[in-house]
Amino acid sequence: MAGGAAGAAGAAGAAGAGGAGGLSDGELVERFSHVTVDRDTAAFYRGWLHHELLLNYCDDCGHWAHPPRPMCPACWSTKVTARPVSGRGTVHLLMLLHQGPAAPDVDYLAGPYPVVTVELDEQVGLRFTSTVTGCPAAEIAIGMPVELHWIDRHGAPFPVFRPIPEPGVTPS
Amino acid sequence: MSTKGTRYPIKDQVAIVGIGSTGFSRRGDRSSQAMALDASVAAIRDAGLTRDDIDGIVATGEPGAVGAHQLASGLGIAELTHHSKPAPVVMFSILDAMHAVFSGLCENVLVCSSMLRLPWSSQSAANDPFRRHLRSGVTAMPETVANAPAYAAWAGRYLHEHGVSREAFARVAVNCRTNAFDNPLAAMRSPMTFGDYHAARMIREPLCMLDMDLPVDGADAFVLTTAERARTLAHPPVLIHVATSGLVGPNDEDQLGSLAQHGQHVVVKSLKARSDIWLDDVDVYLPYDGFTIITVGWIENTGWCPPGEAGRFLAEHWVGDGDAGRVLINGRIPMNPHGGSLSEGGTRGTGHVREAVVQLRGDAGVRQVPGARTALITSGGFFFNSQGAILRRA
Ligand SMILES: [Zn+2]
């Protein structure tokens, strides 16, 4: 396992994951200073920079788990790697925030802000929480099919969802 | 997990013999330490003990709350053989204290929990310069269901799965407010109607202002000792028949399996496996109500009614006119007669335990359930703090 020599090994791993010119661990933490980036979540956030939603997948038993943990909770394997998911799924939980934490692109006065937990197609019970864009809040419903989409937040990509366009309709 | 027939030697062996409370307020200007000391002194005196008798202190780890070691210093206690700071919600502290007594590590354990309105919980708290040090450095983002927002997210799921209205939530809220009128310790004693509930501002839809407990200042304290010693003290002994916590995995708020399998279900299974008493013998019911959906969950998961039917159940057991009123199960069993966290104040469950003791002693005045001998407390929510206890008068 990498990880013995913290700084250098981590940075090398980062370059591997991110391709040439990838951020060092220190730069990654600075870039995502609005969230908590640690050893267990670094690969997850690094994926955002490349518009990839990477969730932890067990190479031994094929179990997905989120949030990122270093060991597979199903089989205790440590061969867990952050892999891209399709980003498609259905709205499982939905709430509308009429007030809440500040964010640069969120205006509660303009109307309630939707927060959804999406059950991803990869595995029953595997879920990811974000918002839905490109759709009036009143039209979002539990059970609605959605797909991954990326917006900018604090100068970095941020994963959100949007409704899956119906067949024959040109996405905007 | 362990099931029926399992070893449970602690049953009825530890008693709650002292209670002390400052009462709760949305306008407090006392320090956490002042309130904790006040409640602790009251609880020790109520038990008829002195500080020399206290050999353990459990102080719940709320933000801004004093630790057990600070309480020991503040109370002038010379020596302790146990002290700890369990996570919030009352039963973790009660469990720790009763286990310390039963093991023989301590004779008399003080449990204290002090609540302080935090700068982000109210304008008056934000304006208080002495609370500035409690500001959190972490900037939360909107797109999360971690912590409190989880209950709004799962409340929406509840309404969706069962195709029901918010009626059950409304009845939980109105019941608490009606009951708080008779509790001098309560922060909110003005009446609430169903109209008030439905007109209240949405916060995290589908939950509104009146679905959430009240940020308050105040402290509760308890003294626990052996059942044997309790028989020699002033008050009728209130025995802990059984107490438990419960947890499932995964328990991350957005990864929870479903509304049909979470911490509350484990608690109920554990209580039933260890208790000689169940719903038919309950005289006072004290379900947690940090959010109304938590109470709805407890009502259904405890087995008072099937899943999705709490609204119907509460309507059937409702006493009062069309606009307000309260719950009296089978015309006999009140639910949170002290007003709960929704109207007495957000005590993280200490209010529920205190009310159980007051009722079982027969000291509840106008709130008193005649001849109350058994109280069922189901505290905490769905994720990391589901808990329960049955208390009985010896
Ligand atoms: Zn595995």
Side-chain angles (χ1 to χ4, degrees):
Chain A
M1 286 288 296
L23 300 183
S24 72
D25 287 343
E27 289 165 335
L28 181 74
V29 170
E30 285 306 307
R31 187 79 182 270
F32 289 101
S33 58
H34 52 293
V35 294
T36 303
V37 181
D38 60 20
R39 286 192 196 287
D40 295 331
T41 58
F44 170 72
Y45 288 114
R46 206 174 278 286
W48 290 16
L49 296 172
H50 312 286
H51 289 193
E52 281 187 325
L53 184 59
L54 306 179
L55 302 189
N56 277 8
Y57 179 81
C58 175
D59 293 330
D60 278 329
C61 80
H63 183 79
W64 293 92
H66 185 71
R69 292 195 171 93
M71 189 181 84
C72 172
C75 76
W76 290 7
S77 167
T78 51
K79 288 184 198 157
V80 168
T81 49
R83 279 202 196 181
V85 292
S86 68
R88 296 169 81 92
T90 55
V91 174
H92 191 80
L93 304 178
L94 164 66
M95 67 175 160
L96 301 178
L97 296 183
H98 291 245
Q99 65 185 66
D105 45 336
V106 176
D107 178 9
Y108 297 107
L109 295 177
Y113 184 73
V115 175
V116 296
T117 295
V118 170
E119 180 136 329
L120 300 169
D121 286 353
E122 274 74 10
Q123 178 180 296
V124 171
L126 178 71
R127 305 191 196 115
F128 186 75
T129 299
S130 185
T131 187
V132 173
T133 61
C135 175
E139 290 177 20
I140 305 168
I142 292 173
M144 187 170 89
V146 291
E147 65 184 7
L148 196 61
H149 182 60
W150 293 87
I151 62 169
D152 183 85
R153 169 72 60 84
H154 298 293
F158 181 71
V160 300
F161 294 95
R162 63 182 178 192
I164 293 179
E166 287 177 41
V169 179
T170 311
S172 54
Chain B
M1 67 167 264
S2 325
T3 50
K4 199 156 188 94
T6 195
R7 208 171 54 80
Y8 195 61
I10 199 170
K11 182 164 69 185
D12 295 331
Q13 296 304 304
V14 178
I16 301 178
V17 294
I19 53 173
S21 181
T22 58
F24 293 85
S25 162
R26 299 199 299 161
R27 286 174 296 276
D29 60 358
R30 303 174 70 196
S31 75
S32 182
Q33 188 153 204
M35 296 185 292
L37 290 169
D38 190 352
S40 296
V41 167
I44 294 167
R45 286 184 174 151
D46 178 64
L49 299 174
T50 72
R51 61 183 158 188
D52 297 334
D53 296 309
I54 301 298
D55 53 3
I57 298 183
V58 177
T60 304
E62 293 287 349
V66 292
H69 59 291
Q70 292 163 298
L71 272 177
S73 296
L75 291 167
I77 291 175
E79 290 184 1
L80 296 177
T81 48
H82 180 64
H83 65 100
S84 67
K85 189 176 185 179
V89 180
V90 62
M91 212 58 74
F92 290 134
S93 293
I94 297 290
L95 282 164
D96 190 49
M98 68 189 270
H99 295 161
V101 168
F102 186 65
S103 71
L105 187 59
C106 298
E107 286 301 308
N108 308 294
V109 178
L110 172 71
V111 171
C112 183
S113 174
S114 53
M115 300 302 306
L116 203 59
R117 286 166 304 133
L118 301 170
W120 58 87
S121 67
S122 81
Q123 195 56 51
S124 61
N127 292 340
D128 179 356
F130 294 127
R131 295 172 203 244
R132 272 182 209 150
H133 67 285
L134 295 169
R135 284 219 170 92
S136 161
V138 177
T139 308
M141 36 176 232
E143 297 87 357
T144 176
V145 296
N147 301 313
Y151 291 102
W154 284 100
R157 183 79 199 176
Y158 174 86
L159 300 177
H160 170 82
E161 284 186 6
H162 299 294
V164 293
S165 73
R166 293 164 64 224
E167 181 191 358
F169 303 164
R171 288 193 189 272
V172 167
V174 171
N175 169 71
C176 276
R177 186 63 63 82
T178 302
N179 287 339
F181 181 79
D182 288 328
N183 177 10
L185 301 179
M188 293 290 275
R189 302 178 68 192
S190 55
M192 183 202 297
T193 65
F194 288 112
D196 294 332
Y197 175 84
H198 288 292
R201 192 158 56 87
M202 278 292 173
I203 304 294
R204 303 181 189 107
E205 193 175 343
L207 298 187
C208 70
M209 198 78 172
L210 297 176
D211 287 302
M212 304 158 46
D213 66 0
L214 297 173
V216 286
D217 285 6
D220 271 317
F222 305 92
V223 176
L224 278 67
T225 190
T226 61
E228 191 181 0
R229 179 155 198 187
R231 287 182 200 103
T232 71
L233 298 175
H235 295 287
V238 172
L239 303 179
I240 302 172
H241 182 65
V242 51
T244 190
S245 62
L247 186 74
V248 297
N251 48 58
D252 312 272
E253 292 90 335
D254 58 356
Q255 310 296 316
L256 189 73
S258 79
L259 286 169
Q261 180 53 25
H262 53 67
Q264 292 186 344
H265 302 83
V266 180
V267 165
V268 170
K269 203 162 50 164
S270 173
L271 288 176
K272 284 168 111 168
R274 291 170 174 78
S275 176
D276 303 336
I277 304 165
W278 198 235
L279 301 189
D280 286 347
D281 297 310
V282 167
D283 300 310
V284 190
Y285 180 40
L286 297 146
Y288 194 64
D289 54 345
F291 291 97
T292 52
I293 179 66
I294 293 175
T295 312
V296 167
W298 277 125
I299 291 168
E300 297 177 0
N301 298 327
T302 304
W304 293 105
C305 68
E309 295 189 18
R312 181 194 56 74
F313 174 82
L314 293 172
E316 276 178 17
H317 297 267
W318 197 257
V319 179
D321 59 33
D323 213 24
R326 67 191 195 114
V327 182
L328 217 47
I329 301 171
N330 300 328
R332 185 177 71 82
I333 308 164
M335 184 173 92
N336 290 336
H338 63 305
S341 290
L342 288 167
S343 283
E344 184 191 63
T347 62
R348 304 275 203 148
T350 58
H352 300 71
V353 173
R354 172 183 14 90
E355 180 70 3
V357 174
V358 170
Q359 290 278 353
L360 296 176
R361 285 180 177 180
D363 289 344
V366 292
R367 306 192 307 279
Q368 184 63 47
V369 177
R373 300 201 67 86
T374 305
L376 171 62
I377 304 165
T378 52
S379 43
F382 299 168
F383 309 100
F384 324 115
N385 49 33
S386 314
Q387 315 163 336
I390 294 172
L391 306 190
R392 52 180 286 262
R393 179 169 171 152

